[in-house]
Amino acid sequence: MAVVWWSSLAAADRDLLAMLDDTERARVESLERAADRGRSLLGAALLRMALAARLPVGPAEVVIDRTCIECGAPHGAPRVVLAGTPAPWVSVSHSGLLVVVAVSERGPVGVDVQRESDLPGPGTGREWVRREAALKATTAARRDGHATARCTAAAVAAATADLRPPLAGYAAALAALGESDSRHSARCWPAGWTGEGAAS
Ligand SMILES: [Zn+2]
């Protein structure tokens, strides 16, 4: 079952920088706006904590490859590198106050969250995030040579589900191509933070 981790920009403490690698730290430092730095920092740290919860390594020891498949620069979708064993698939998204990470051992995943007020029209959020999540998952599938029967439009649509963000005013979706159904479990970080409602 895929696992989805939520966190809030309020948790983006500078102490988390120690968890990041040089590429991630350089990315955070390069951003001009404090909110952008916070989202980038928290996205990278939450990904590492989500992986450390499933792998026998600490958050700082997780190896993340961010090589862009288009140009080779280190700004691509994150891919976990594990010696000897197949690594889980991951996806990260952030918008407004929310950061979300998805992890699946079964196949490529894509997750997307959007603050509704940032989108072009009212009521477009659900469609938007489902499209983005599906695109991320299929892009990862192609990158990893998984572009098989799971990547037909019908299969991707069937593997894409709405998520319930922990704050109101957001839409989110998860596409988990290798999972047998669209169920997932949700966690919040820090433990005890649940946003405005239960994050299930
Ligand atoms: Zn690029």
Side-chain angles (χ1 to χ4, degrees), residues 68-73 75:
C68 170
I69 52 172
E70 306 285 333
C71 72
H75 58 217

Side-chain angles (χ1 to χ4, degrees), residues 92-114:
V92 180
S93 180
H94 35 69
S95 177
L97 294 172
L98 288 179
V99 173
V100 63
V101 166
V103 182
S104 170
E105 263 92 23
R106 307 287 299 279
V109 282
V111 70
D112 196 63
V113 61
Q114 290 290 331

Side-chain angles (χ1 to χ4, degrees), residues 1-6 98 100-101 111 161-167 172-174 182-189 193-200:
M1 194 191 299
V3 181
V4 170
W5 288 71
W6 291 99
L98 288 179
V100 63
V101 166
V111 70
D162 299 330
L163 295 178
R164 190 147 56 104
L167 295 180
L174 171 71
S182 63
R183 284 179 309 156
H184 66 277
S185 67
R187 311 244 192 293
C188 285
W189 186 86
W193 175 74
T194 54
E196 289 169 347
S200 62

Side-chain angles (χ1 to χ4, degrees), residues 23-47:
T23 301
E24 292 163 338
R25 230 172 276 138
R27 166 83 185 143
V28 172
E29 309 285 351
S30 75
L31 296 167
E32 220 164 282
R33 296 171 56 225
D36 291 334
R37 281 200 300 274
R39 282 186 284 264
S40 178
L41 166 63
L42 190 58
L46 188 63
L47 173 61

Side-chain angles (χ1 to χ4, degrees), residues 2-3 10 21 31 34 62 77 110 123 133 136 141 154 180 189:
V3 181
D21 67 19
L31 296 167
V62 177
K136 287 181 180 179
S180 53
W189 186 86

Side-chain angles (χ1 to χ4, degrees), residues 5 16-25 43-66 78-83 85-92 101-103 105:
W5 288 71
L16 296 174
L17 276 171
M19 229 182 256
L20 273 45
D21 67 19
D22 291 346
T23 301
E24 292 163 338
R25 230 172 276 138
L46 188 63
L47 173 61
R48 289 174 170 280
M49 290 186 278
L51 287 162
R54 289 171 92 101
L55 302 171
V57 289
E61 283 84 57
V62 177
V63 180
I64 309 281
D65 178 10
R66 295 174 185 271
R79 190 175 63 85
V80 186
V81 182
L82 272 187
T85 38
W89 281 264
V90 296
S91 183
V92 180
V101 166
V103 182
E105 263 92 23

